[in-house]
Amino acid sequence: MIRAVLPKLSTAGKGAFADPDTLTLEAIQTLTVEQLKTEFAQQAYDTRTPWTKENEKIVYRGPLLKDIWAKTGLANASKVKVIAYDDFVSELRMDEIHSYAPILAVERQCTKDDRAQGRCKGDQQFRPISMIEKGPIFVVWPFERLPASYVPARNAIWVFFPVVLRADQ
């Protein structure tokens, strides 16, 4: 689920969120992973992350963060605080969000290994992101479009298990 948060609400304490399968836009709206998949246009990024090998790419799919933020009516906020299930907090600037268009990835493309392991069946093209793979929701950026200065200086913008998005000025 997703909950949008109004500014100046206190940060949650460890364990305050019951379900890592939900992302919260506090005080405004709650969205499930299924809603993220069905109520928003899906964007796919064939990208590496700061933790993959240089020639290793993964295709992630999910809605654009800016689309979700626009739906909340908080698109004019200057920053978004992303709070993860483990209480990690990252601050994303709206100029970054508009310039580089991160997604809230909720799926990754099926691979030959996924099919061999039974994680994907038939003509299934995408599958949920497991917790081991940084899911069920993962803030993913188009790595190749980010400025070189962002790696590793801004690696905190890649947020695993986000559960709350909070508007900040």
Side-chain angles (χ1 to χ4, degrees):
M1 292 187 179
I2 299 180
R3 263 191 297 177
V5 181
L6 296 176
K8 307 223 185 254
L9 293 178
S10 63
T11 345
K14 190 154 186 80
F17 301 100
D19 187 354
D21 285 318
T22 63
L23 178 68
T24 299
L25 299 172
E26 250 178 30
I28 294 175
Q29 187 168 11
T30 300
L31 298 170
T32 64
V33 168
E34 191 59 31
Q35 288 172 301
L36 291 172
K37 290 179 358 183
T38 60
E39 295 181 15
F40 297 91
Q42 300 295 291
Q43 174 73 46
Y45 285 154
D46 185 0
T47 188
R48 46 182 300 235
T49 73
W51 303 278
T52 55
K53 296 176 184 154
E54 192 166 323
N55 60 349
E56 180 185 2
K57 289 185 173 183
I58 300 169
V59 179
Y60 291 99
R61 183 167 74 175
L64 291 165
L65 180 56
K66 65 184 175 183
D67 289 351
I68 293 166
W69 212 238
K71 183 177 180 173
T72 67
L74 295 172
N76 292 329
S78 61
K79 298 175 197 162
V80 175
K81 281 194 180 177
V82 181
I83 303 170
Y85 186 69
D86 63 359
D87 288 335
F88 174 81
V89 177
S90 182
E91 187 173 272
L92 310 179
R93 297 186 324 262
M94 286 306 287
D95 67 310
E96 294 175 309
I97 292 169
H98 287 288
S99 294
Y100 307 114
I103 61 172
L104 288 177
V106 293
E107 296 179 302
R108 60 182 283 163
Q109 189 172 46
C110 294
T111 64
K112 289 179 186 178
D113 186 52
D114 290 331
R115 293 186 194 295
Q117 299 295 320
R119 292 184 292 254
C120 294
K121 300 188 184 338
D123 62 352
Q124 180 181 352
Q125 293 191 4
F126 287 86
R127 64 172 178 78
I129 304 169
S130 73
M131 290 192 79
I132 292 171
E133 299 164 323
K134 316 293 187 233
I137 303 169
F138 179 21
V139 179
V140 173
W141 299 73
F143 188 89
E144 292 76 16
R145 291 197 329 228
L146 295 174
S149 62
Y150 273 48
V151 182
R154 290 286 285 147
N155 281 352
I157 63 176
W158 300 74
V159 183
F160 319 137
F161 319 116
V163 292
V164 175
L165 302 178
R166 178 175 292 156
D168 199 13
Q169 298 303 325

